[in-house]
Amino acid sequence: MTALSTSIQSVLTIVLLIVVGYVLRRQGRFDDQFGKTISDLLMEIALPASIFISVLQRLTLDKLVSLSSGLVYGFGAVILGYLIAFLLVWLLKVRPGRRGTFINMFVNANTIFIGLPLNLALFGDKAVPYFLMYYVVNTVSTWTVGAFIMAWDDPTQKKSEKSSTGFNWKKLLPAPLVGFLVALVFLLLKIPFIHVGWLSFAVNALDYVGSLVTPLSLIYIGIILADAGLKAIRFDRDTIVALIGRFVIAPALIAGLILLGMHAGFNVPGLEAQTLIIQAAAPGLAVLPILATEAHADVEYATNVVTTSTVLFVVVVPILMMLVQGLA
């Protein structure tokens, strides 16, 4: 019952913040430009700050090296996930504007707001190092390939324009990815940024700004739902397949790789296996509608898959917990 209770609490918190955005937009408290303002604030300031400070606070170079097996399984599952998602986009003829969201739903998860508290509730602090490995994989995947695919799927940009103008470096290196890369440089050079006493004001400022990401992203989803109407929540073909990718294919891929590794003689602690599998099945990224807006993509579809995956996660977690108990 712990898994079910924790899932329900997490989902209710998320739904409440979405409802705040929905109600205030319907009441006219948010004007037509407010959603765009939130998008710009998140993408250019809050997300880079959040990623930079989270990496420095939760990771060290030694942790990255000592827990490298989690990185291997995580990146292996991510690569396979992208391949399967691209294949399905081609087979199902997913239309431009939806392809980036569809692919991201297969591969990238909401590890921080839902994955971390759930992991702590289910497995305790002793599982945090394993969580951090998946966090690294998910962050790198989201802000490199994932963000690039969202930008590539811009339906307003013609193929001829893409080829003639060359790389759009702003889209290839979005601000959140820059924040992550700078944090990695700090780790590699062992710059003690967060441990320098006189810089505590800067660390606190980055913490405060970074803490805006989740609530503003969820309020933004509420605004999009209010503009589209509740009829935007639906289970069409693209939504159903994306949800299968998130809740079935993604955890199955990493579970399969772990089992192969164990069969080959590589010892994988049961707690590590459980953590990686649960994290792989977390709901879709709360920032997907923001990325879809930036890419002029199907924002209603992105909002739909994020909302439905978040609500359905309360059912998925207890089922996954029963399935992974044998790995303990």
Side-chain angles (χ1 to χ4, degrees):
M1 291 299 292
T2 303
L4 179 60
S5 175
T6 304
S7 302
I8 292 174
Q9 292 294 326
S10 298
V11 169
L12 287 178
T13 302
I14 293 168
V15 170
L16 183 59
L17 287 171
I18 292 174
V19 168
V20 168
Y22 179 87
V23 171
L24 292 178
R25 174 59 174 156
R26 295 289 290 181
Q27 290 179 348
R29 305 282 186 93
F30 296 154
D31 61 27
D32 293 341
Q33 297 300 315
F34 188 68
K36 180 64 167 61
T37 301
I38 289 180
S39 173
D40 290 342
L41 174 61
L42 287 173
M43 289 297 296
E44 302 300 328
I45 299 174
L47 267 169
S50 173
I51 292 170
F52 174 78
I53 204 68
S54 293
V55 170
L56 294 184
Q57 287 177 339
R58 300 179 187 277
L59 290 176
T60 64
L61 191 58
D62 291 338
K63 282 183 179 178
L64 282 173
V65 174
S66 65
L67 298 170
S68 57
S69 64
L71 295 176
V72 172
Y73 292 124
F75 279 116
V78 160
I79 292 170
L80 292 174
Y82 277 121
L83 292 175
I84 293 172
F86 271 107
L87 178 62
L88 286 172
V89 163
W90 177 69
L91 290 174
L92 299 176
K93 295 180 171 58
V94 178
R95 70 172 183 258
R98 284 190 171 191
R99 296 175 299 188
T101 300
F102 183 92
I103 293 169
N104 269 279
M105 278 295 292
F106 266 72
V107 181
N108 300 313
N110 190 345
T111 55
I112 287 298
F113 186 61
I114 298 180
L116 178 57
L118 180 65
N119 207 72
L120 289 172
L122 295 179
F123 308 121
D125 290 336
K126 59 185 178 295
V128 170
Y130 304 127
F131 165 81
L132 291 175
M133 291 305 95
Y134 197 85
Y135 170 73
V136 169
V137 171
N138 195 74
T139 301
V140 171
S141 173
T142 298
W143 299 113
T144 53
V145 181
F148 181 70
I149 288 172
M150 291 295 290
W152 159 79
D153 191 36
D154 188 338
T156 65
Q157 191 174 14
K158 298 178 182 179
K159 291 182 179 179
S160 59
E161 293 174 342
K162 293 180 182 180
S163 59
S164 62
T165 57
F167 282 117
N168 184 333
W169 290 103
K170 185 177 180 181
K171 289 186 176 181
L172 185 61
L173 288 173
L177 174 58
V178 173
F180 180 77
L181 294 176
V182 172
L184 284 185
V185 171
F186 273 57
L187 282 183
L188 292 172
L189 298 180
K190 297 183 178 180
I191 300 174
F193 176 77
I194 62 174
H195 301 298
V196 178
W198 65 272
L199 285 177
S200 60
F201 74 95
V203 175
N204 291 336
L206 289 171
D207 257 333
Y208 290 143
V209 174
S211 66
L212 295 173
V213 172
T214 296
L216 285 184
S217 295
L218 295 172
I219 288 172
Y220 181 79
I221 291 174
I223 293 172
I224 297 300
L225 279 175
D227 289 340
L230 290 177
K231 65 180 184 299
I233 298 179
R234 57 187 180 276
F235 290 92
D236 56 17
R237 184 203 64 179
D238 292 348
T239 298
I240 292 171
V241 177
L243 290 173
I244 291 173
R246 180 94 304 271
F247 292 139
V248 179
I249 296 176
L253 286 174
I254 199 161
L257 290 176
I258 290 172
L259 290 174
L260 284 175
M262 294 171 67
H263 183 71
F266 296 100
N267 182 42
V268 180
L271 190 57
E272 178 180 1
Q274 290 177 331
T275 298
L276 294 176
I277 293 169
I278 292 294
Q279 291 305 313
L285 294 161
V287 295
L288 271 183
I290 303 288
L291 294 174
T293 300
E294 293 289 313
H296 310 103
D298 190 337
V299 181
E300 291 182 17
Y301 175 69
T303 301
N304 183 44
V305 293
V306 171
T307 304
T308 53
S309 68
T310 300
V311 173
L312 289 175
F313 189 58
V314 69
V315 179
V316 172
V317 170
I319 296 173
L320 273 180
M321 281 301 295
M322 288 188 293
L323 293 175
V324 301
Q325 286 302 316
L327 297 173

